[in-house]
């Protein structure tokens, strides 16, 4: 697809399954009351997305980024398959209501940056081969519900006045 792709499941709990190696040159926006899966053959730029269930996003040959806010109710899983690919989800209005799991491959240059906006950021089971930088603007801050393995440095920021970090 040359340009942006917006996929919408109109049924209340409808799902989106774009799991056959898309090739989109622009952003991919998702709107679904249920789960959503997207596999991009190259890099994946997530545009404005609202997913009522779990989100699984994979970039096979490039990085994962966001160009607009992500509002995900279920567990979010972000995977880069290529060596040294990065995950950068730094839109400050992102809202992850459940755990966020990330996996990168390669050397210590496979960095991950996640901004949970004003919601609690719960890191699920994750493996980051580079640095992990995470931010939450909620009073309950940052937590983990799975083992988080980071080969490089961890930078955790709770930017709410009384936010906590419990990793």
């Amino acid at each position: 697809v040359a340009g942006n792709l917006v996929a919408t499941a109109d049924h209340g709990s409808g799902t989106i399954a774009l799991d056959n190696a898309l090739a989109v040159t622009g952003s991919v926006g998702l709107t679904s009351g249920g789960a959503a899966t997207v596999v991009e053959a190259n890099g994946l730029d997530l545009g404005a997305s609202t997913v009522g269930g779990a989100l699984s996003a994979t970039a096979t040959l490039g990085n994962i980024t966001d160009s607009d806010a992500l509002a995900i109710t279920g567990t979010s899983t972000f995977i880069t398959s290529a060596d040294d690919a990065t995950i950068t989800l730094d839109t400050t209005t992102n809202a992850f209501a459940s755990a966020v799991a990330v996996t990168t491959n390669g050397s210590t240059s496979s960095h991950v940056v996640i901004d949970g906006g004003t919601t609690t950021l719960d890191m699920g089971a994750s493996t980051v081969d580079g640095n992990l930088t995470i931010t939450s603007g909620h009073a309950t801050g940052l937590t983990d519900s799975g083992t988080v393995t980071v080969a490089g440095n961890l930078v955790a920021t709770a930017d709410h006045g009384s936010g906590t970090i419990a990793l």
Side-chain angles (χ1 to χ4, degrees):
V1 175
N4 299 328
L5 171 69
V6 177
T8 302
D10 285 334
H11 186 270
S13 61
T15 62
I16 297 172
L18 304 172
D19 54 4
N20 197 11
L22 292 172
V24 178
T25 60
S27 66
V28 175
L30 307 167
T31 302
S32 170
T37 300
V38 60
V39 177
E40 167 61 46
N42 299 298
L44 176 60
D45 175 14
L46 290 166
S49 297
T50 301
V51 177
L55 170 64
S56 175
T58 302
T60 54
L61 294 177
N63 304 319
I64 296 177
T65 60
D66 62 351
S67 55
D68 210 332
L70 309 176
I72 314 301
T73 302
T75 299
S76 302
T77 304
F78 301 97
I79 300 169
T80 56
S81 301
D83 286 347
D84 300 330
T86 62
I87 300 171
T88 304
L89 306 173
D90 58 358
T91 300
T92 59
T93 52
N94 286 335
F96 300 105
S98 297
V100 176
V102 295
T103 302
T104 63
N105 293 294
S107 68
T108 56
S109 62
S110 301
H111 305 302
V112 174
V113 176
I114 299 175
D115 191 322
T118 58
T119 58
T120 299
L121 184 57
D122 174 11
M123 293 301 299
S126 299
T127 302
V128 178
D129 291 334
N131 298 332
L132 174 61
T133 303
I134 52 179
T135 303
S136 170
H138 193 272
T140 54
L142 302 161
T143 187
D144 63 347
S145 58
T147 301
V148 178
T149 304
V150 180
N153 297 313
L154 169 66
V155 177
T157 304
D159 61 8
H160 181 277
S162 61
T164 60
I165 299 173
L167 300 173

